[in-house]
Amino acid sequence: MTDIELADLLRTSGEAAFRLIYERHWDKLYVIARKRLNDDTEAEEVVQDIFCNLWRKRERLVLVKGFDNYFSIAVKFEVINRLAKRAVADSYQKEAAKALSEIDDSTIELLDYLELQRQFDLTVSQLPEKCRIVFKLRHDQGYSHLQIAEELIFL
């Protein structure tokens, strides 16, 4: 039975012709899709989609050159669609990863700063009294060495 006769039979009878077309072409379509996509599962999905579309369009199917030509074009477009979807998904994943890497760390930085400040204050409070006074005059109030010396005279 030729492809043209099989297409006519598919339009009128349906299921038996479809089964025969499926058995004749499934393996070849799978190999082509697998080779282009490099993914077994996705290749199976492509072939499944092609046959589902053939079944849905069977009553309007007009086959001009044969099923090899019909299926090669169908695989080509399905693969292009899948690769385009992959590219878009990859692009979104890269953008999401970039966005996540740029998350505002200000809260963590603030908590780190507060913890560091607490430890610093604890360390300063453990200094001997005169050292602590000198340190606070210099660092908290910005006194010069001369001003600190003058201040210590009055203590």
Side-chain angles (χ1 to χ4, degrees):
M1 192 176 269
T2 69
D3 284 350
I4 303 295
E5 293 169 340
L6 203 50
D8 289 339
L9 190 59
L10 177 63
R11 264 194 310 278
T12 56
S13 309
E15 222 173 290
F18 180 81
R19 186 172 291 115
L20 187 56
I21 295 166
Y22 184 89
E23 290 169 359
R24 279 188 189 177
H25 296 279
W26 191 93
D27 290 332
K28 184 178 178 181
L29 293 176
Y30 172 76
V31 169
I32 294 168
R34 171 70 177 93
K35 184 177 178 181
R36 292 182 180 168
L37 292 169
N38 204 23
D39 183 314
D40 294 335
T41 304
E42 200 166 13
E44 287 179 10
E45 289 174 6
V46 163
V47 175
Q48 187 67 23
D49 287 348
I50 289 169
F51 278 106
C52 285
N53 287 335
L54 176 65
W55 179 254
R56 280 193 298 269
K57 298 175 182 178
R58 72 186 180 281
E59 293 171 352
R60 299 181 311 269
L61 179 67
V62 177
L63 199 62
V64 178
K65 292 187 179 185
F67 280 112
D68 285 335
N69 189 50
Y70 174 86
F71 286 134
S72 68
I73 293 169
V75 167
K76 176 182 172 181
F77 284 113
E78 279 292 325
V79 167
I80 288 170
N81 287 338
R82 297 286 174 130
L83 293 176
K85 286 178 185 176
R86 264 192 213 172
V88 168
D90 289 346
S91 174
Y92 282 134
Q93 283 183 328
K94 286 177 185 174
E95 286 298 317
K98 183 179 175 184
L100 288 175
S101 69
E102 296 174 354
I103 288 179
D104 183 16
D105 290 333
S106 61
T107 303
I108 294 171
E109 289 173 359
L110 176 62
L111 292 173
D112 288 344
Y113 173 77
L114 292 174
E115 175 61 22
L116 186 61
Q117 184 67 46
R118 187 189 66 75
Q119 289 177 2
F120 179 78
D121 291 342
L122 179 64
T123 303
V124 170
S125 71
Q126 293 174 351
L127 290 172
E129 183 182 358
K130 289 219 178 199
C131 282
R132 187 174 57 246
I133 292 170
V134 169
F135 184 84
K136 287 188 174 197
L137 287 173
R138 176 75 178 133
H139 294 284
D140 290 351
Q141 297 179 11
Y143 281 27
S144 67
H145 293 281
L146 182 61
Q147 289 171 319
I148 293 171
E150 289 173 354
E151 192 71 31
L152 287 179
I153 293 175
F154 298 112
L155 287 181

Coordinates of all heavy atoms in Angstrom, one line a residue, residues 36-113:
R36 N 18.7 14.8 17.2 CA 18.6 16.3 17.2 C 18.5 16.8 18.6 O 19.0 17.9 18.9 CB 17.6 16.8 16.3 CG 17.9 16.5 14.8 CD 16.8 17.0 13.9 NE 17.2 16.7 12.5 CZ 16.3 16.9 11.5 NH1 15.1 17.4 11.7 NH2 16.7 16.6 10.3
L37 N 17.7 16.1 19.4 CA 17.5 16.7 20.8 C 18.5 16.1 21.8 O 18.6 16.7 22.9 CB 16.1 16.3 21.2 CG 15.0 17.0 20.4 CD1 13.6 16.5 20.7 CD2 15.0 18.5 20.7
N38 N 19.0 15.0 21.5 CA 20.0 14.4 22.5 C 19.3 14.1 23.8 O 19.9 14.2 24.9 CB 21.2 15.2 22.7 CG 22.4 14.4 23.2 OD1 22.4 13.2 22.9 ND2 23.3 15.1 23.8
D39 N 18.0 13.6 23.8 CA 17.2 13.4 25.0 C 16.2 12.3 24.6 O 15.3 12.6 23.8 CB 16.6 14.7 25.5 CG 15.8 14.5 26.8 OD1 15.0 13.5 26.9 OD2 16.0 15.4 27.6
D40 N 16.2 11.1 25.2 CA 15.3 10.1 24.9 C 13.8 10.4 25.2 O 13.0 10.2 24.3 CB 15.6 8.8 25.8 CG 17.0 8.2 25.4 OD1 17.4 8.4 24.2 OD2 17.6 7.5 26.3
T41 N 13.6 10.9 26.4 CA 12.2 11.3 26.8 C 11.6 12.3 25.9 O 10.5 12.2 25.4 CB 12.2 11.7 28.2 OG1 12.8 10.7 29.0 CG2 10.8 12.0 28.7
E42 N 12.4 13.4 25.6 CA 11.9 14.4 24.8 C 11.7 14.0 23.4 O 10.7 14.4 22.7 CB 12.8 15.6 24.8 CG 12.2 16.9 24.4 CD 13.0 18.1 24.8 OE1 14.2 18.0 25.1 OE2 12.4 19.2 24.7
A43 N 12.5 13.1 22.9 CA 12.3 12.6 21.5 C 11.0 11.8 21.4 O 10.3 11.9 20.5 CB 13.5 11.7 21.1
E44 N 10.8 11.0 22.4 CA 9.5 10.2 22.5 C 8.3 11.2 22.5 O 7.3 10.9 21.8 CB 9.4 9.3 23.7 CG 10.3 8.1 23.6 CD 10.3 7.2 24.9 OE1 9.4 7.5 25.8 OE2 11.1 6.3 25.0
E45 N 8.4 12.3 23.3 CA 7.3 13.2 23.3 C 7.1 13.9 22.0 O 6.0 14.1 21.6 CB 7.6 14.3 24.4 CG 7.5 13.8 25.8 CD 8.0 14.8 26.8 OE1 8.2 16.0 26.4 OE2 8.0 14.5 28.0
V46 N 8.2 14.2 21.3 CA 8.1 14.8 19.9 C 7.3 13.9 19.0 O 6.4 14.3 18.3 CB 9.5 15.1 19.4 CG1 9.4 15.4 17.9 CG2 10.0 16.4 20.1
V47 N 7.7 12.6 19.0 CA 7.1 11.6 18.1 C 5.6 11.4 18.5 O 4.7 11.4 17.6 CB 7.9 10.3 18.1 CG1 7.1 9.2 17.3 CG2 9.3 10.5 17.6
Q48 N 5.4 11.4 19.8 CA 4.0 11.2 20.2 C 3.2 12.4 19.8 O 2.0 12.3 19.3 CB 4.0 11.1 21.8 CG 2.6 10.8 22.3 CD 2.1 9.4 21.9 OE1 2.9 8.5 21.6 NE2 0.8 9.3 22.0
D49 N 3.7 13.6 19.9 CA 3.0 14.8 19.5 C 2.7 14.8 18.0 O 1.6 15.2 17.6 CB 3.8 16.1 19.9 CG 3.8 16.4 21.4 OD1 3.0 15.8 22.1 OD2 4.6 17.3 21.8
I50 N 3.7 14.4 17.2 CA 3.5 14.3 15.8 C 2.3 13.4 15.4 O 1.5 13.7 14.6 CB 4.8 13.9 15.1 CG1 5.8 15.1 15.2 CG2 4.5 13.6 13.6 CD1 7.2 14.7 14.8
F51 N 2.3 12.2 16.0 CA 1.3 11.3 15.7 C -0.1 11.7 16.3 O -1.1 11.5 15.7 CB 1.6 9.9 16.3 CG 2.5 9.1 15.3 CD1 3.9 8.9 15.6 CD2 2.0 8.6 14.1 CE1 4.7 8.3 14.7 CE2 2.8 8.0 13.2 CZ 4.2 7.8 13.5
C52 N -0.1 12.4 17.4 CA -1.4 13.0 17.9 C -1.9 14.0 17.0 O -3.1 14.0 16.7 CB -1.2 13.6 19.3 SG -1.0 12.4 20.6
N53 N -1.0 14.9 16.5 CA -1.5 15.9 15.5 C -2.0 15.2 14.2 O -3.0 15.7 13.6 CB -0.3 16.8 15.2 CG 0.0 17.8 16.3 OD1 -0.9 18.1 17.1 ND2 1.2 18.3 16.4
L54 N -1.3 14.2 13.8 CA -1.7 13.4 12.6 C -3.1 12.9 12.8 O -4.0 13.0 11.9 CB -0.8 12.3 12.2 CG -1.2 11.4 11.0 CD1 -1.2 12.2 9.7 CD2 -0.2 10.2 10.9
W55 N -3.4 12.3 13.9 CA -4.7 11.7 14.2 C -5.8 12.8 14.3 O -6.8 12.7 13.7 CB -4.7 11.0 15.6 CG -6.0 10.4 15.9 CD1 -6.9 10.9 16.9 CD2 -6.6 9.3 15.3 NE1 -8.0 10.1 16.9 CE2 -7.9 9.1 15.9 CE3 -6.3 8.4 14.3 CZ2 -8.8 8.1 15.5 CZ3 -7.2 7.4 13.9 CH2 -8.4 7.3 14.5
R56 N -5.4 14.0 14.9 CA -6.4 15.0 15.0 C -6.7 15.6 13.6 O -7.9 16.1 13.3 CB -5.9 16.2 15.9 CG -6.1 15.9 17.4 CD -5.9 17.1 18.2 NE -4.5 17.7 18.1 CZ -3.5 17.3 18.9 NH1 -3.7 16.4 19.8 NH2 -2.3 17.9 18.7
K57 N -5.8 15.7 12.7 CA -5.9 16.3 11.4 C -6.2 15.2 10.3 O -6.2 15.6 9.1 CB -4.7 17.0 11.0 CG -4.4 18.2 12.0 CD -3.1 18.8 11.6 CE -2.7 20.0 12.6 NZ -1.4 20.6 12.3
R58 N -6.5 14.0 10.7 CA -6.6 12.9 9.7 C -7.7 13.2 8.6 O -7.5 12.8 7.5 CB -6.8 11.6 10.4 CG -8.2 11.4 11.0 CD -8.3 10.2 11.8 NE -9.6 10.0 12.4 CZ -10.0 10.6 13.5 NH1 -9.2 11.4 14.1 NH2 -11.2 10.4 14.0
E59 N -8.8 13.8 9.0 CA -9.9 14.0 8.1 C -9.6 15.1 7.1 O -10.2 15.1 6.0 CB -11.2 14.3 8.9 CG -11.6 13.1 9.7 CD -12.8 13.4 10.6 OE1 -13.1 14.6 10.8 OE2 -13.3 12.5 11.2
R60 N -8.6 16.0 7.4 CA -8.3 17.1 6.5 C -6.9 16.8 5.8 O -6.5 17.7 5.1 CB -8.2 18.4 7.3 CG -9.5 18.8 8.0 CD -9.4 20.1 8.7 NE -8.2 20.2 9.6 CZ -8.2 19.9 10.9 NH1 -9.3 19.4 11.5 NH2 -7.2 20.0 11.6
L61 N -6.3 15.7 6.1 CA -5.0 15.4 5.6 C -4.9 15.3 4.1 O -5.7 14.5 3.5 CB -4.4 14.1 6.2 CG -3.1 13.6 5.8 CD1 -2.0 14.6 6.3 CD2 -2.8 12.3 6.3
V62 N -4.1 16.0 3.5 CA -3.8 15.9 2.0 C -2.3 15.7 1.9 O -1.5 16.5 2.1 CB -4.2 17.2 1.3 CG1 -3.9 17.1 -0.2 CG2 -5.7 17.6 1.5
L63 N -2.0 14.5 1.5 CA -0.6 14.0 1.4 C -0.2 14.2 0.0 O -0.8 13.6 -0.9 CB -0.5 12.6 1.9 CG 0.9 12.1 2.2 CD1 1.5 12.9 3.4 CD2 0.9 10.6 2.6
V64 N 0.9 15.0 -0.3 CA 1.3 15.2 -1.6 C 2.5 14.4 -2.0 O 2.5 13.7 -3.1 CB 1.7 16.7 -1.8 CG1 2.2 17.0 -3.2 CG2 0.5 17.6 -1.4
K65 N 3.5 14.2 -1.2 CA 4.7 13.5 -1.5 C 4.9 12.2 -0.8 O 5.8 11.4 -1.1 CB 5.9 14.4 -1.3 CG 6.0 15.6 -2.2 CD 7.3 16.3 -2.1 CE 7.4 17.4 -3.1 NZ 8.7 18.1 -3.0
G66 N 4.2 12.0 0.3 CA 4.4 10.8 1.0 C 4.6 11.1 2.5 O 4.9 12.2 2.9
F67 N 4.6 10.1 3.3 CA 4.7 10.3 4.8 C 6.1 10.6 5.2 O 6.4 11.3 6.2 CB 4.2 9.0 5.5 CG 2.7 9.0 5.7 CD1 1.9 8.1 5.0 CD2 2.1 10.0 6.4 CE1 0.6 8.1 5.2 CE2 0.7 10.0 6.6 CZ -0.1 9.0 5.9
D68 N 7.1 10.1 4.4 CA 8.5 10.5 4.8 C 8.7 12.0 4.7 O 9.3 12.5 5.7 CB 9.5 9.8 3.8 CG 9.7 8.3 4.1 OD1 9.4 7.9 5.3 OD2 10.0 7.5 3.2
N69 N 8.2 12.6 3.7 CA 8.3 14.0 3.6 C 7.5 14.7 4.7 O 8.0 15.7 5.3 CB 7.9 14.5 2.2 CG 8.2 15.9 1.9 OD1 9.3 16.4 2.2 ND2 7.2 16.7 1.5
Y70 N 6.3 14.3 4.9 CA 5.4 14.9 5.9 C 6.0 14.8 7.3 O 6.1 15.8 8.0 CB 4.0 14.1 5.8 CG 3.1 14.5 6.9 CD1 2.2 15.6 6.8 CD2 3.1 13.8 8.1 CE1 1.4 16.0 7.8 CE2 2.2 14.2 9.1 CZ 1.3 15.2 9.0 OH 0.5 15.6 10.0
F71 N 6.6 13.6 7.6 CA 7.1 13.4 8.9 C 8.5 14.1 9.1 O 8.8 14.6 10.2 CB 7.3 11.9 9.2 CG 6.0 11.3 9.6 CD1 5.7 10.0 9.0 CD2 5.1 11.8 10.4 CE1 4.5 9.4 9.3 CE2 3.9 11.2 10.7 CZ 3.6 10.0 10.1
S72 N 9.3 14.2 8.0 CA 10.5 14.9 8.2 C 10.3 16.4 8.5 O 11.0 17.0 9.3 CB 11.4 14.7 6.9 OG 10.9 15.4 5.8
I73 N 9.3 17.0 7.8 CA 9.0 18.4 8.1 C 8.4 18.5 9.5 O 8.7 19.5 10.3 CB 8.0 18.9 7.0 CG1 8.7 19.0 5.7 CG2 7.4 20.3 7.4 CD1 7.8 19.3 4.5
A74 N 7.5 17.6 9.9 CA 6.9 17.6 11.2 C 8.0 17.5 12.3 O 7.9 18.3 13.3 CB 5.9 16.5 11.4
V75 N 8.9 16.6 12.1 CA 10.0 16.4 13.1 C 10.8 17.7 13.2 O 11.2 18.2 14.3 CB 10.9 15.2 12.8 CG1 12.2 15.2 13.7 CG2 10.1 13.9 13.1
K76 N 11.2 18.3 12.0 CA 12.0 19.5 12.0 C 11.3 20.6 12.8 O 12.0 21.2 13.6 CB 12.1 19.9 10.5 CG 12.9 21.2 10.3 CD 12.9 21.6 8.9 CE 13.5 22.9 8.6 NZ 13.5 23.3 7.2
F77 N 10.0 20.8 12.6 CA 9.4 21.9 13.3 C 9.2 21.6 14.8 O 9.3 22.5 15.6 CB 8.0 22.3 12.6 CG 8.2 23.1 11.4 CD1 7.9 22.5 10.1 CD2 8.8 24.4 11.4 CE1 8.1 23.3 9.0 CE2 9.0 25.1 10.3 CZ 8.6 24.5 9.0
E78 N 8.9 20.4 15.1 CA 8.7 20.0 16.5 C 10.1 20.2 17.3 O 10.1 20.7 18.4 CB 8.2 18.6 16.7 CG 6.8 18.4 16.5 CD 6.0 19.1 17.7 OE1 6.4 19.1 18.8 OE2 4.9 19.6 17.4
V79 N 11.2 19.8 16.6 CA 12.5 19.9 17.3 C 12.8 21.4 17.4 O 13.3 21.8 18.5 CB 13.5 19.2 16.4 CG1 15.0 19.5 16.9 CG2 13.4 17.6 16.6
I80 N 12.6 22.2 16.4 CA 12.8 23.6 16.5 C 12.1 24.2 17.6 O 12.6 25.0 18.4 CB 12.5 24.3 15.1 CG1 13.6 24.0 14.1 CG2 12.4 25.8 15.3 CD1 13.2 24.4 12.7
N81 N 10.8 23.9 17.8 CA 10.0 24.4 18.9 C 10.5 24.0 20.2 O 10.6 24.8 21.2 CB 8.5 23.9 18.7 CG 7.8 24.6 17.6 OD1 8.2 25.7 17.2 ND2 6.7 24.0 17.1
R82 N 10.9 22.7 20.3 CA 11.5 22.2 21.6 C 12.8 22.9 21.9 O 13.0 23.3 23.1 CB 11.7 20.7 21.6 CG 10.5 19.9 21.4 CD 9.7 19.8 22.6 NE 8.5 19.1 22.4 CZ 8.0 18.2 23.2 NH1 8.7 17.8 24.2 NH2 6.9 17.6 22.9
L83 N 13.7 23.1 20.9 CA 14.9 23.8 21.2 C 14.7 25.2 21.6 O 15.4 25.8 22.4 CB 15.9 23.6 20.0 CG 16.4 22.2 19.7 CD1 17.2 22.2 18.4 CD2 17.2 21.7 20.8
A84 N 13.7 25.9 20.9 CA 13.4 27.3 21.3 C 12.9 27.3 22.7 O 13.3 28.3 23.5 CB 12.4 27.8 20.3
K85 N 12.1 26.4 23.1 CA 11.6 26.4 24.5 C 12.7 26.2 25.5 O 12.7 26.8 26.6 CB 10.5 25.3 24.7 CG 9.2 25.7 24.0 CD 8.2 24.5 24.2 CE 6.9 24.8 23.5 NZ 5.9 23.7 23.5
R86 N 13.6 25.3 25.1 CA 14.8 25.0 26.0 C 15.6 26.3 26.1 O 16.1 26.6 27.2 CB 15.7 24.0 25.3 CG 15.5 22.6 25.8 CD 16.7 21.8 25.3 NE 16.3 20.4 25.0 CZ 17.1 19.5 24.4 NH1 18.3 19.8 24.0 NH2 16.6 18.3 24.3
A87 N 15.8 27.0 25.0 CA 16.6 28.3 25.1 C 16.0 29.3 26.0 O 16.6 30.0 26.7 CB 16.8 28.8 23.6
V88 N 14.7 29.4 25.9 CA 13.9 30.4 26.7 C 14.0 29.9 28.2 O 14.3 30.8 29.0 CB 12.5 30.5 26.3 CG1 11.6 31.2 27.3 CG2 12.4 31.1 24.9
A89 N 13.9 28.7 28.4 CA 14.0 28.2 29.8 C 15.4 28.4 30.4 O 15.5 28.8 31.5 CB 13.6 26.7 29.9
D90 N 16.4 28.1 29.6 CA 17.8 28.3 30.0 C 18.0 29.8 30.3 O 18.7 30.1 31.3 CB 18.8 27.8 28.9 CG 18.8 26.3 28.8 OD1 18.3 25.6 29.7 OD2 19.4 25.8 27.8
S91 N 17.5 30.7 29.4 CA 17.6 32.1 29.6 C 17.0 32.5 31.0 O 17.6 33.3 31.7 CB 17.0 32.8 28.5 OG 17.0 34.2 28.7
Y92 N 15.8 32.0 31.2 CA 15.1 32.4 32.5 C 15.9 31.8 33.7 O 16.0 32.5 34.7 CB 13.7 31.8 32.5 CG 12.7 32.6 31.7 CD1 11.8 31.9 30.9 CD2 12.6 34.0 31.8 CE1 10.9 32.7 30.1 CE2 11.7 34.7 31.0 CZ 10.8 34.0 30.2 OH 9.9 34.8 29.5
Q93 N 16.4 30.6 33.6 CA 17.2 30.1 34.7 C 18.5 30.9 34.9 O 18.8 31.2 36.1 CB 17.6 28.6 34.4 CG 16.5 27.6 34.6 CD 16.9 26.2 34.3 OE1 17.8 25.9 33.5 NE2 16.3 25.3 35.1
K94 N 19.1 31.3 33.9 CA 20.3 32.2 34.1 C 19.9 33.5 34.7 O 20.7 34.0 35.6 CB 21.0 32.4 32.7 CG 21.7 31.2 32.2 CD 22.3 31.4 30.8 CE 23.0 30.1 30.3 NZ 23.4 30.2 29.0
E95 N 18.8 34.1 34.2 CA 18.4 35.4 34.8 C 18.0 35.2 36.3 O 18.3 36.0 37.1 CB 17.2 35.9 34.0 CG 17.6 36.5 32.7 CD 18.5 37.7 32.8 OE1 18.3 38.6 33.7 OE2 19.5 37.8 32.0
A96 N 17.3 34.1 36.6 CA 17.0 33.8 38.0 C 18.2 33.6 38.9 O 18.3 34.1 40.0 CB 16.0 32.6 38.1
A97 N 19.2 32.9 38.4 CA 20.4 32.6 39.1 C 21.1 33.9 39.3 O 21.7 34.2 40.4 CB 21.3 31.6 38.4
K98 N 21.2 34.8 38.3 CA 21.8 36.1 38.4 C 21.1 36.9 39.5 O 21.7 37.6 40.3 CB 21.8 36.8 37.1 CG 22.6 38.1 37.1 CD 22.5 38.7 35.7 CE 23.2 40.1 35.7 NZ 23.1 40.8 34.4
A99 N 19.8 37.0 39.4 CA 19.0 37.8 40.4 C 19.2 37.3 41.8 O 19.3 38.1 42.7 CB 17.5 37.7 40.0
L100 N 19.2 35.9 42.0 CA 19.4 35.4 43.3 C 20.8 35.7 43.8 O 21.0 35.9 45.0 CB 19.2 33.9 43.3 CG 17.7 33.4 43.1 CD1 17.6 31.9 43.0 CD2 16.9 33.9 44.3
S101 N 21.8 35.8 43.0 CA 23.2 36.0 43.4 C 23.3 37.5 43.8 O 24.2 37.9 44.5 CB 24.2 35.7 42.4 OG 24.1 36.6 41.3
E102 N 22.4 38.4 43.4 CA 22.4 39.8 43.7 C 21.5 40.2 44.7 O 21.1 41.4 44.9 CB 22.1 40.6 42.4 CG 23.2 40.4 41.3 CD 22.8 41.1 40.0 OE1 21.7 41.6 39.9 OE2 23.6 41.1 39.1
I103 N 21.0 39.2 45.5 CA 20.0 39.5 46.6 C 20.6 40.5 47.6 O 21.8 40.4 47.9 CB 19.5 38.2 47.3 CG1 18.6 37.5 46.3 CG2 18.8 38.5 48.6 CD1 18.2 36.2 46.9
D104 N 19.8 41.4 48.1 CA 20.2 42.4 49.0 C 20.6 41.7 50.3 O 19.8 41.0 51.0 CB 19.1 43.3 49.3 CG 19.5 44.5 50.2 OD1 20.7 44.7 50.5 OD2 18.6 45.1 50.7
D105 N 21.9 41.8 50.7 CA 22.4 41.2 51.9 C 22.5 42.2 53.1 O 23.1 41.9 54.1 CB 23.8 40.6 51.7 CG 23.9 39.4 50.8 OD1 22.8 38.7 50.7 OD2 24.9 39.2 50.1
S106 N 21.8 43.3 53.0 CA 21.9 44.3 54.0 C 21.4 43.9 55.4 O 22.0 44.3 56.4 CB 21.1 45.6 53.6 OG 19.7 45.3 53.4
T107 N 20.4 43.0 55.4 CA 20.0 42.6 56.7 C 21.0 41.7 57.4 O 21.3 41.9 58.6 CB 18.7 41.7 56.6 OG1 17.7 42.6 55.9 CG2 18.1 41.3 57.9
I108 N 21.6 40.8 56.7 CA 22.7 40.0 57.2 C 23.9 40.8 57.6 O 24.5 40.6 58.7 CB 23.1 38.9 56.2 CG1 21.9 37.9 56.0 CG2 24.3 38.1 56.6 CD1 22.1 36.9 54.8
E109 N 24.2 41.8 56.7 CA 25.3 42.7 57.1 C 25.1 43.5 58.3 O 25.9 43.7 59.1 CB 25.6 43.6 55.9 CG 26.2 42.9 54.7 CD 26.3 43.8 53.4 OE1 25.9 45.0 53.5 OE2 26.8 43.3 52.4
L110 N 23.8 43.9 58.5 CA 23.5 44.7 59.7 C 23.6 43.8 60.9 O 24.1 44.2 62.0 CB 22.0 45.2 59.6 CG 21.5 46.0 60.8 CD1 22.3 47.2 61.1 CD2 20.0 46.3 60.6
L111 N 23.1 42.6 60.9 CA 23.2 41.7 62.0 C 24.7 41.4 62.3 O 25.1 41.3 63.5 CB 22.4 40.4 61.7 CG 20.9 40.5 61.6 CD1 20.3 39.2 61.2 CD2 20.3 40.9 63.0
D112 N 25.5 41.2 61.3 CA 26.9 41.0 61.5 C 27.6 42.2 62.2 O 28.4 42.0 63.1 CB 27.6 40.6 60.2 CG 27.3 39.3 59.7 OD1 26.8 38.4 60.4 OD2 27.6 39.0 58.5
Y113 N 27.2 43.3 61.7 CA 27.7 44.6 62.2 C 27.3 44.7 63.7 O 28.2 45.1 64.6 CB 27.2 45.8 61.5 CG 27.6 47.1 62.1 CD1 28.9 47.6 62.0 CD2 26.7 47.8 62.8 CE1 29.3 48.8 62.6 CE2 27.0 49.0 63.4 CZ 28.3 49.5 63.3 OH 28.7 50.7 63.9

